[in-house]
Amino acid sequence: GKQIPEFKKYKKEDYLFQCSRIHSDFASIEVASFCLQNKIKGIFAGPIYPNYPFLDYIDNVHTFYLGQISEEQKIDLTKHARLYTLLSNWPMPMSLSMLESLSHGTPVVTTWCPFTESIIKQNVNGFFSFNENDLLNSWNEAPKISQFECYRSILKFNHFFMIESLYKCFDQIINEN
């Protein structure tokens, strides 16, 4: 995979960013609705699942949909976002976008699952959200999060760590049978 970039501090702007598949698994409508209700700028990118009424929540005043974007656009938006959202209703085994956001000093608001708990430390590099009040609190508290702490939290996830983790997983599977 990609190397972890060197630490650099970025000017954060007042928007939250979600770059994923746009559908209910990632609470896309809930996040857009939250932005509309609270007059917070929300930028969304990624493919929209068929028949998912997400565009009904895009007003191009507070909520913006960019479609599928390039890797360079994604990184630029991630670097400057005040908050990256990754709210999921299924237990993710891994999220590269979360690691990428943290590597650019952008705190992440996410839902709890074993993977996210292994990375996100509440009020240190991100937040766990269970409802709209948590999301609003995350938005308000995000400027207090240290960009360096976000970056530092993912340093162990280099290619050596990832390969070692895969070997341990394969070894466990082989030895269980």
Side-chain angles (χ1 to χ4, degrees), residues 100-127:
E100 206 165 56
S101 295
L102 293 168
S103 77
H104 293 293
T106 302
V108 175
V109 59
T110 189
T111 43
W112 183 92
C113 75
F115 167 72
T116 58
E117 183 185 51
S118 70
I119 296 175
I120 298 301
K121 304 301 177 229
Q122 184 75 13
N123 297 315
V124 174
N125 64 350
F127 311 92

Side-chain angles (χ1 to χ4, degrees), residues 12 45 52 61 67 78 88 96 120 152 159-160 169 177:
K12 299 298 181 179
Y52 187 61
V61 174
T78 301
S88 176
L96 292 178
I120 298 301
R152 193 169 74 123
H159 60 282
F160 297 114
C169 181
N177 294 327

Side-chain angles (χ1 to χ4, degrees), residues 81-161:
R82 178 175 181 170
L83 190 62
Y84 186 89
T85 64
L86 187 64
L87 303 174
S88 176
N89 64 15
W90 57 278
M92 292 177 288
M94 175 66 159
S95 170
L96 292 178
S97 64
M98 180 185 299
L99 297 176
E100 206 165 56
S101 295
L102 293 168
S103 77
H104 293 293
T106 302
V108 175
V109 59
T110 189
T111 43
W112 183 92
C113 75
F115 167 72
T116 58
E117 183 185 51
S118 70
I119 296 175
I120 298 301
K121 304 301 177 229
Q122 184 75 13
N123 297 315
V124 174
N125 64 350
F127 311 92
F128 291 105
S129 179
F130 302 99
N131 57 48
E132 193 170 317
N133 286 337
D134 290 340
L135 192 53
L136 184 57
N137 184 56
S138 300
W139 173 258
N140 291 330
E141 295 296 314
K144 298 176 186 173
I145 299 286
S146 161
Q147 289 186 37
F148 184 73
E149 285 303 315
C150 291
Y151 174 80
R152 193 169 74 123
S153 69
I154 56 92
L155 289 178
K156 73 176 183 179
F157 291 93
N158 59 38
H159 60 282
F160 297 114
F161 175 85

Side-chain angles (χ1 to χ4, degrees), residues 5-81:
E6 298 222 5
F7 176 72
K8 182 177 177 187
K9 193 168 185 167
Y10 296 97
K11 180 183 181 310
K12 299 298 181 179
E13 298 174 24
D14 281 338
Y15 65 86
L16 64 78
F17 183 48
Q18 179 178 334
C19 186
S20 63
R21 293 178 303 270
I22 306 293
H23 62 88
S24 60
D25 283 352
F26 291 103
S28 301
I29 285 176
E30 290 80 2
V31 174
S33 178
F34 164 81
C35 290
L36 290 169
Q37 290 172 12
N38 293 284
K39 297 183 177 11
I40 291 171
K41 184 177 181 181
I43 300 175
F44 301 84
I48 300 174
Y49 267 45
N51 303 315
Y52 187 61
F54 176 73
L55 292 177
D56 295 344
Y57 296 84
I58 300 300
D59 69 355
N60 293 314
V61 174
H62 297 102
T63 53
F64 302 85
Y65 174 63
L66 305 179
Q68 294 190 52
I69 59 176
S70 70
E71 183 71 14
E72 293 79 23
Q73 289 172 302
K74 179 182 81 167
I75 295 299
D76 190 55
L77 287 163
T78 301
K79 286 177 184 178
H80 300 290

Side-chain angles (χ1 to χ4, degrees), residues 158-176:
N158 59 38
H159 60 282
F160 297 114
F161 175 85
M162 302 303 273
I163 290 170
E164 183 180 328
S165 297
L166 285 173
Y167 278 131
K168 286 179 182 176
C169 181
F170 289 140
D171 187 51
Q172 183 179 0
I173 292 168
I174 289 169
N175 288 326
E176 285 179 359

